[in-house]
């Protein structure tokens, strides 16, 4: 065991990790993976778990006072819970042969009321004043001063209420800056950062609200002269599956599951598993590590009951208390149910079957989608092909996600400022070679020329779909029921997953709906799902004579 120096805190971290891996503590897959990775480092010979480092950071944390609630009024000091010990030891206690810290980046996804700001404040104060770094700069990134105050405020209060710390490091506390006479400081960083900073630590609090990665990129590139810097993303889930924070989480999950090797990254993602039922209160307990401490069961149960009884509030509650990304506060599909519909069979496994196609042609700088609908046994299966013009990427809020999806083959980039419709047509013809295409549906507002070519030159059954609420509503009800019953199959394409989460619905007084983007969120695309709905609509139209559906084609 690569472990030097005795430490009760290191022993507690190891015991916590062992209990999680052994199933004695119930957490999600990502936390089990984090614990297994931690134990592998403890047992391996590449990194050393330093008892001295563990004691240093954890004892410092427990010398700091509470700043909120009954504990603060009683002037009680912080007491680390086992999961918090694990997080701090994992971040700070591993060192390499050069004596420097292993972890240089941490990603923490922690539900509301679970002490997220406390962890961030402890790390900020430790990195600024106790990490042995001369002139340490610690920046707390936020989109507004009010948001920055959520982390900076506890830092300021902890320092002011710990006179021994103030005296030992000659700390001066101002409204927006905490500094020492030797040049170390903690300061807020609002919106787009300027160049020239030299951070020893950057803390991106509530990073799910960031539309760009500018703060992260600037902080990371500015750390080049520091020996053992740390960049910390600490947040809950949010509503933008194509935003930089969600992409950072996916990168962290790739490290956790072993797809990508990055020893410098530590990730602790407290959420639920794909097969968990959000309507089971035990699922809510599982996602909240500080249940019974800072999160009272009575409080959590009220949030749970609101999610059950108030559909309009469910997306927000799932993001904040289960860390399930929704991407729209008025989201149509449950993302937990959607992810339970991931199919095991590929499009090639189903070749030769009858199939249908829906296509949604884009405007000049949008995504074009072609979606094949066929059957996987008794379950409808959808397979998307999505195209984005090169000119639509640069400067786009979704650029980082688009580039990642393009590299992974989930999104197809075409040259120029508009989609190459010849490539779209070629894709449809290739699908026709592989499947027995029974019908193709397209949006009434676009796609007429391609439809004529497919009909005139290739004899395909092409039908114009009337994309209005009256005719979208039946297929949406059918699609929603398939997802809720886990009878749909999709290939876990992250671009399509994003679009599935983006769809917002606003039923009229007769309950009629159609797929919409969230209000004033034009960058949240839904083209792939619109194409999937049209493809399923033409599949269902065969049953129209039996009165099972009412869908209009022209």
């Amino acid at each position: 065991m690569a472990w030097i120096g005795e430490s009760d805190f290191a022993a507690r971290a190891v015991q916590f990790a062992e209990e999680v891996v052994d199933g004695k503590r119930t957490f999600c897959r990502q936390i089990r993976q984090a614990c297994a990775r931690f134990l592998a480092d403890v047992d391996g010979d590449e990194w050393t778990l330093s008892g001295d480092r563990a004691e240093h950071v954890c004892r410092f944390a427990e010398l700091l006072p509470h700043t909120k609630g009954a504990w603060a009024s009683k002037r009680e000091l912080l007491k680390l819970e086992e999961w918090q010990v694990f997080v701090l030891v994992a971040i700070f206690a591993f060192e390499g042969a050069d004596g420097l810290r292993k972890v240089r980046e941490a990603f923490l996804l922690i539900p509301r009321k679970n002490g997220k700001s406390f962890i961030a404040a402890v790390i900020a104060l430790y990195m600024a004043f106790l990490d042995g770094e001369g002139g340490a700069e610690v920046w707390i990134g936020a989109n507004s001063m009010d948001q920055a105050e959520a982390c900076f405020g506890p830092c300021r209060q902890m320092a002011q209420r710990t006179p021994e710390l103030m005296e030992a490091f000659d700390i001066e506390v101002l409204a927006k800056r905490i500094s020492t006479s030797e040049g170390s400081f903690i300061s807020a960083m609002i919106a787009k950062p300027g160049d020239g900073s030299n951070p020893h630590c950057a803390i991106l609090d509530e990073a799910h609200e960031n539309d760009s990665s500018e703060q992260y990129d600037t902080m990371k590139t500015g750390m080049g002269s520091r020996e053992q810097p740390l960049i910390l993303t600490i947040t809950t889930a949010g509503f933008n599956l194509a935003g930089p924070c969600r992409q950072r989480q996916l990168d962290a999950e790739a490290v956790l599951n072993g797809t990508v090797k990055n020893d410098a990254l530590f990730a602790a993602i407290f959420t639920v598993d794909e097969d968990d039922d959000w309507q089971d209160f035990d699922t809510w307990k599982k996602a909240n590590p500080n249940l019974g401490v800072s999160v009272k069961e009575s409080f959590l149960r009220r949030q749970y009951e609101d999610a059950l009884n108030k559909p309009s509030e469910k997306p927000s509650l799932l993001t904040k208390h289960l860390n399930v990304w929704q991407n729209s506060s008025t989201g149509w599909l449950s993302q937990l149910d959607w992810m339970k519909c991931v199919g095991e069979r590929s499009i090639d496994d189903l070749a030769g079957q009858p199939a249908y196609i829906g296509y949604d042609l884009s405007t000049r700088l949008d995504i074009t989608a072609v979606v094949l609908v066929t059957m996987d046994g008794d379950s409808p299966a959808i397979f998307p092909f999505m195209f984005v013009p090169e000119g639509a990427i640069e400067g786009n809020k979704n650029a980082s996600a688009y580039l990642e999806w393009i590299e992974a083959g989930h999104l197809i980039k075409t040259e120029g400022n508009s989609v190459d419709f010849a490539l779209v047509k070629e894709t449809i013809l290739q699908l026709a070679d592989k499947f027995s295409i029974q019908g193709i549906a397209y949006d009434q507002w676009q796609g007429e020329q391609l439809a004529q070519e497919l009909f005139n030159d290739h004899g395909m059954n092409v039908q114009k779909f009337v994309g209005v609420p009256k005719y979208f509503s039946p297929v949406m009800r059918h699609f929603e029921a398939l997802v809720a019953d886990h009878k749909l199959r999709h290939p876990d394409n992250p671009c399509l997953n994003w679009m599935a989460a983006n769809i917002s619905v606003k039923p009229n007084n007769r309950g009629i709906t159609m797929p919409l983007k969230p209000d004033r969120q034009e960058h949240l695309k839904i083209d792939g799902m619109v194409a999937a709905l049209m493809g399923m609509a033409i599949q269902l139209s065969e049953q129209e004579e039996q009165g099972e559906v009412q869908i209009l084609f022209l």
Side-chain angles (χ1 to χ4, degrees):
M1 178 178 291
W3 184 351
I4 58 170
E6 293 186 5
S7 167
D8 289 339
F9 288 107
R12 286 168 61 183
V14 170
Q15 182 176 351
F16 174 86
E18 290 175 340
E19 290 176 353
V20 170
V21 171
D22 292 342
K24 296 176 182 177
R25 292 177 182 264
T26 304
F27 286 101
C28 64
R29 168 181 54 82
Q30 292 92 329
I31 296 300
R32 295 193 300 272
Q33 290 172 335
C35 289
R37 191 165 170 251
F38 175 91
L39 294 174
D41 283 339
V42 171
D43 293 335
D45 55 11
E46 187 172 359
W47 306 100
T48 298
L49 178 60
S50 168
D52 291 342
R53 284 180 178 265
E55 289 293 303
H56 199 234
V57 66
C58 292
R59 288 196 182 281
F60 169 71
E62 293 196 339
L63 290 173
L64 296 173
H66 282 280
T67 61
K68 295 181 181 178
W71 293 311
S73 64
K74 296 176 183 177
R75 297 186 179 277
E76 292 187 15
L77 299 181
L78 301 172
K79 181 175 174 57
L80 293 172
E81 299 301 315
E82 300 308 299
W83 72 272
Q84 294 167 332
V85 171
F86 167 72
V87 167
L88 289 176
V89 170
I91 293 173
F92 286 99
F94 284 105
E95 61 183 34
D98 56 4
L100 298 178
R101 187 169 47 245
K102 168 199 170 190
V103 172
R104 306 299 173 86
E105 181 171 355
F107 183 92
L108 305 182
L109 198 72
I110 302 173
R112 281 195 72 209
K113 303 293 185 181
N114 282 269
K116 178 171 61 64
S117 296
F118 148 61
I119 287 283
V122 167
I123 291 174
L125 289 167
Y126 185 83
M127 290 293 289
F129 309 126
L130 277 90
D131 200 41
E133 183 75 12
E137 297 180 15
V138 175
W139 295 92
I140 297 174
N143 291 309
S144 68
M145 198 61 219
D146 286 344
Q147 187 187 84
E149 185 67 13
C151 178
F152 186 81
C155 287
R156 182 177 59 242
Q157 294 166 12
M158 286 177 178
Q160 289 173 326
R161 298 176 189 181
T162 311
E164 298 87 352
L165 177 67
M166 298 274 288
E167 182 178 350
F169 295 97
D170 192 21
I171 293 173
E172 180 183 23
V173 179
L174 301 177
K176 299 180 181 180
R177 190 179 179 95
I178 306 169
S179 60
T180 71
S181 57
E182 295 184 354
S184 295
F185 65 80
I186 302 172
S187 184
M189 171 180 57
I190 308 303
K192 182 177 179 179
D195 294 327
S197 58
N198 182 22
H200 178 52
C201 177
I203 297 175
L204 306 181
D205 191 21
E206 296 298 5
H208 69 273
E209 296 186 9
N210 294 345
D211 286 332
S212 80
S213 62
E214 287 177 319
Q215 285 188 346
Y216 176 88
D217 295 340
T218 300
M219 290 293 99
K220 196 162 188 179
T221 55
M223 291 176 168
S225 64
R226 301 290 185 176
E227 280 196 321
Q228 49 179 13
L230 176 69
I231 185 166
L232 168 66
T233 299
I234 185 163
T235 185
T236 61
F239 294 110
N240 187 358
L241 281 161
C245 183
R246 176 58 177 167
Q247 292 306 304
R248 217 165 295 143
Q249 179 179 338
L250 295 177
D251 292 342
E253 290 182 349
V255 173
L256 288 174
N257 65 33
T259 305
V260 174
K261 182 176 174 59
N262 182 358
D263 287 338
L265 174 71
F266 169 77
I269 299 170
F270 291 93
T271 181
V272 296
D273 288 313
E274 290 85 350
D275 57 353
D276 286 335
D277 181 3
W278 74 266
Q279 298 183 68
D280 181 350
F281 184 62
D282 285 341
T283 295
W284 290 61
K285 293 180 179 180
K286 174 181 179 179
N288 288 267
N290 237 30
L291 183 65
V293 185
S294 60
V295 182
K296 303 302 181 186
E297 183 166 333
S298 58
F299 167 82
L300 193 63
R301 188 171 287 278
R302 285 196 299 273
Q303 313 312 306
Y304 161 75
E305 290 171 352
D306 281 348
L308 288 176
N309 300 322
K310 300 176 182 179
S312 64
E313 295 185 20
K314 185 190 77 174
S316 179
L317 293 171
L318 293 188
T319 60
K320 301 309 176 192
H321 299 290
L322 296 185
N323 271 337
V324 176
W325 289 77
Q326 295 290 304
N327 210 31
S328 169
S329 60
T330 55
W332 171 44
L333 299 173
S334 161
Q335 294 309 291
L336 289 175
D337 288 335
W338 173 258
M339 293 311 297
K340 291 179 183 178
C341 293
V342 173
E344 296 182 356
R345 303 180 73 188
S346 71
I347 190 170
D348 291 333
D349 294 332
L350 303 176
Q353 298 188 149
Y356 302 81
I357 289 174
Y359 70 79
D360 184 25
L361 297 190
S362 72
T363 55
R364 183 168 174 266
L365 292 176
D366 214 336
I367 288 180
T368 282
V370 174
V371 177
L372 180 113
V373 181
T374 186
M375 297 298 294
D376 183 354
D378 295 330
S379 298
I382 59 176
F383 294 94
F385 299 83
M386 289 171 288
F387 309 82
V388 64
E390 187 175 28
I393 299 174
E394 186 175 354
N396 194 304
K397 286 185 176 182
N398 307 323
S400 61
Y402 285 177
L403 292 172
E404 191 152 330
W405 295 336
I406 289 167
E407 184 176 356
H410 302 302
L411 181 63
I412 301 165
K413 181 179 71 173
T414 64
E415 295 182 0
N417 291 324
S418 58
V419 168
D420 181 356
F421 293 126
L423 179 59
V424 176
K425 179 181 176 181
E426 181 183 344
T427 299
I428 293 174
L429 295 178
Q430 288 175 349
L431 290 172
D433 288 339
K434 185 175 293 188
F435 290 86
S436 175
I437 302 300
Q438 305 296 299
I440 299 175
Y442 68 97
D443 182 14
Q444 63 173 331
W445 303 111
Q446 295 184 69
E448 191 71 46
Q449 180 177 343
L450 178 57
Q452 291 179 7
E453 292 177 7
L454 293 172
F455 175 75
N456 294 330
D457 300 341
H458 304 280
M460 291 186 171
N461 173 24
V462 185
Q463 300 186 42
K464 185 186 299 184
F465 179 73
V466 181
V468 296
K470 180 179 179 180
Y471 302 114
F472 257 123
S473 200
V475 69
M476 289 185 74
R477 286 197 298 269
H478 179 74
F479 196 98
E480 184 176 18
L482 289 172
V483 172
D485 293 338
H486 310 151
K487 292 182 178 178
L488 183 77
R489 296 292 176 264
H490 66 83
D492 196 18
N493 179 304
C495 186
L496 186 68
N497 295 345
W498 171 60
M499 293 178 177
N502 288 344
I503 289 186
S504 175
V505 292
K506 291 183 179 178
N508 64 17
N509 56 7
R510 291 181 294 163
I512 295 175
T513 61
M514 71 177 293
L516 302 169
K517 296 176 183 178
D519 287 344
R520 298 181 297 277
Q521 302 279 346
E522 284 301 310
H523 64 289
L524 300 181
K525 306 302 180 183
I526 62 173
D527 312 86
M529 289 299 294
V530 170
L533 288 168
M534 290 193 296
M536 189 165 289
I538 197 168
Q539 181 190 49
L540 289 173
S541 67
E542 295 183 348
Q543 306 167 24
E544 191 170 353
E545 291 183 2
Q546 287 72 41
E548 296 179 30
V549 292
Q550 293 293 323
I551 300 171
L552 183 64
F553 288 88
L554 296 178

